[in-house]
Amino acid sequence: MSKNNKALNLRDKISGNEVDLSLCNLTEVPVRELALFTKATVVDLSCNNITSLPPEFCNLTHLVKVDLSKNQLTCLPDDVGNLTSLQHLDLYNNKLTVLPVSFSQLRGLKWLDLKDNPLEAGLAKAAGDCLDEKQCKQCASKVLQHMSGLQDEVDRAREKRLLREKELERKREVKQREREAREKEARKREKAEEKEKRRKEYNAQMAAVAAREQQKKKSEDKKKKNGQAAGETKADKKVVEQSAPKPRRSLIGLMFKLLLLLLLGLAGVAAACRLTDLQKEAVCVPVNVALDDSLSWAKEQEGVVRQLVQNLSSAAKEFLESTQAPKN
């Protein structure tokens, strides 16, 4: 059967604002079709085989009266509280044990029948017998109160759960911050250790460089000392060499002085023997003879010296003339 046929069949079952779908052997509620007829505020779904209501049923907010008696319902949708226009609800002879907490939001509910359902004790006590109009109205009022209490408990439980979750979240955040602080401290400590390690390596390198420089300086100083020692040895040798001839020079000077004194003495003796009355003495005779011989030899040599001087003059003149000739 197509959707149009369903809609047509549903239209056949509408009378005014009421839709009668009882005794149709339904297993599901035709929610989509009911949503098309917003003026149909009263729906009779009794005496069918409906086991559950789809979540979309809670969108039929135009419904005022719903009869679901004598079905196989085991539960109601969690959002049943969205049916804010609902005033009359018949759930007689189903298999309900509890109602959703949102049931407390049905503030406009005036009539309720929950007889012949295996309700849990607290809900059964609140529902009562519902044998007449008054009792069904009381059932609606007391069940709403009961569900409001459950709603409060659920809200408190939710608040506690939220508080616990917030506390757990706070503890997690604290632990996270502590862990981050520890990790930060660990990173800081690692950086400090790495920095200290680099500083030690740098100091070790500088110490090695300083040691090499000191060793180099020692080697240079040693070379300088060796060079100075060698220089001093050479200087000592030079001093020795320079100072060694001094005794020779002193000896020559002394001999020269002695020779000069001897010559002066001989000259004095010769002068005394030649010019004084001592010339007739026996001592002066050989002196005078030697002096006469010396003078004679000197006269003989005078001509030789004069000839040597003339030869040297001629040679010098010829040399000067030969050096001046190329210039001219």
Side-chain angles (χ1 to χ4, degrees):
M1 185 179 295
S2 66
K3 181 183 293 186
N4 291 333
N5 290 333
K6 285 185 177 180
L8 180 61
N9 294 337
L10 187 59
R11 183 177 289 108
D12 293 339
K13 294 180 177 297
I14 294 176
S15 175
N17 64 339
E18 296 183 7
V19 180
D20 187 3
L21 295 174
S22 62
L23 299 171
C24 291
N25 199 25
L26 297 175
T27 57
E28 295 180 356
V29 178
V31 175
R32 294 182 180 180
E33 289 74 12
L34 290 173
L36 298 176
F37 301 97
T38 56
K39 292 183 178 180
T41 59
V42 179
V43 178
D44 187 357
L45 293 165
S46 62
C47 301
N48 283 293
N49 295 311
I50 302 172
T51 57
S52 63
L53 300 177
E56 295 78 11
F57 183 83
C58 300
N59 296 328
L60 302 176
T61 56
H62 61 282
L63 298 180
V64 175
K65 181 178 180 180
V66 177
D67 188 352
L68 287 165
S69 62
K70 297 181 180 180
N71 275 281
Q72 304 296 319
L73 291 173
T74 57
C75 62
L76 297 180
D78 290 337
D79 294 331
V80 70
N82 292 340
L83 299 173
T84 54
S85 299
L86 193 61
Q87 299 180 11
H88 185 111
L89 180 59
D90 192 345
L91 295 171
Y92 168 74
N93 194 13
N94 276 278
K95 296 181 179 180
L96 299 171
T97 56
V98 294
L99 297 176
V101 178
S102 66
F103 198 90
S104 61
Q105 299 174 13
L106 299 176
R107 306 296 183 185
L109 191 63
K110 306 297 183 183
W111 193 97
L112 177 63
D113 189 355
L114 287 171
K115 290 190 310 293
D116 292 341
N117 278 283
L119 302 174
E120 58 93 19
L123 181 57
K125 182 177 180 180
D129 291 333
C130 191
L131 298 175
D132 52 28
E133 186 75 14
K134 182 179 179 181
Q135 287 181 348
C136 290
K137 290 182 178 181
Q138 289 178 351
C139 174
S141 177
K142 290 181 178 179
V143 168
L144 287 177
Q145 285 182 339
H146 176 75
M147 297 308 299
S148 295
L150 293 179
Q151 181 67 57
D152 292 340
E153 291 180 2
V154 170
D155 292 341
R156 285 193 297 270
R158 184 171 60 252
E159 289 178 0
K160 288 181 179 179
R161 185 177 66 257
L162 292 175
L163 289 175
R164 284 195 302 270
E165 291 176 354
K166 288 182 179 179
E167 182 66 17
L168 291 174
E169 183 64 23
R170 187 186 66 81
K171 290 181 179 179
R172 283 194 294 269
E173 290 177 355
V174 170
K175 290 182 178 179
Q176 179 68 18
R177 286 194 296 267
E178 290 176 352
R179 183 168 60 255
E180 291 176 353
R182 288 194 300 269
E183 292 175 353
K184 183 178 179 180
E185 186 65 24
R187 289 193 297 270
K188 185 177 180 182
R189 185 166 57 252
E190 290 176 358
K191 288 182 179 179
E193 291 175 355
E194 183 65 21
K195 185 177 180 181
E196 181 65 17
K197 182 180 178 181
R198 291 197 302 270
R199 187 183 66 80
K200 289 182 178 179
E201 291 176 353
Y202 176 78
N203 291 338
Q205 292 176 357
M206 292 298 101
V209 172
R212 288 195 296 271
E213 291 293 332
Q214 187 175 5
Q215 186 65 27
K216 184 178 179 181
K217 186 176 180 182
K218 287 181 179 180
S219 299
E220 292 177 353
D221 293 342
K222 187 175 181 181
K223 290 180 180 179
K224 287 181 180 179
K225 288 181 180 179
N226 293 335
Q228 290 177 356
E232 291 177 357
T233 303
K234 292 181 180 180
D236 292 341
K237 288 181 179 180
K238 289 181 180 180
V239 169
V240 171
E241 292 175 355
Q242 292 175 358
S243 60
K246 286 186 178 179
R248 186 181 296 176
R249 291 181 182 178
S250 299
L251 181 60
I252 293 172
L254 181 60
M255 292 175 65
F256 180 77
K257 289 178 181 180
L258 291 174
L259 181 59
L260 183 61
L261 290 174
L262 181 59
L263 291 174
L264 289 175
L266 292 174
V269 171
C273 289
R274 173 69 69 178
L275 298 176
T276 66
D277 293 339
L278 295 175
Q279 59 183 342
K280 294 180 177 181
E281 295 293 332
V283 175
C284 291
V285 173
V287 173
N288 290 327
V289 172
L291 183 60
D292 290 336
D293 293 338
S294 296
L295 292 173
S296 297
W297 181 82
K299 287 180 179 180
E300 293 176 357
Q301 298 299 323
E302 181 179 0
V304 177
V305 172
R306 187 178 293 114
Q307 184 64 36
L308 180 61
V309 170
Q310 289 178 357
N311 293 334
L312 290 173
S313 297
S314 299
K317 186 177 180 180
E318 291 177 358
F319 177 75
L320 290 173
E321 290 177 355
S322 64
T323 55
Q324 290 178 0
K327 292 182 180 179
N328 296 327

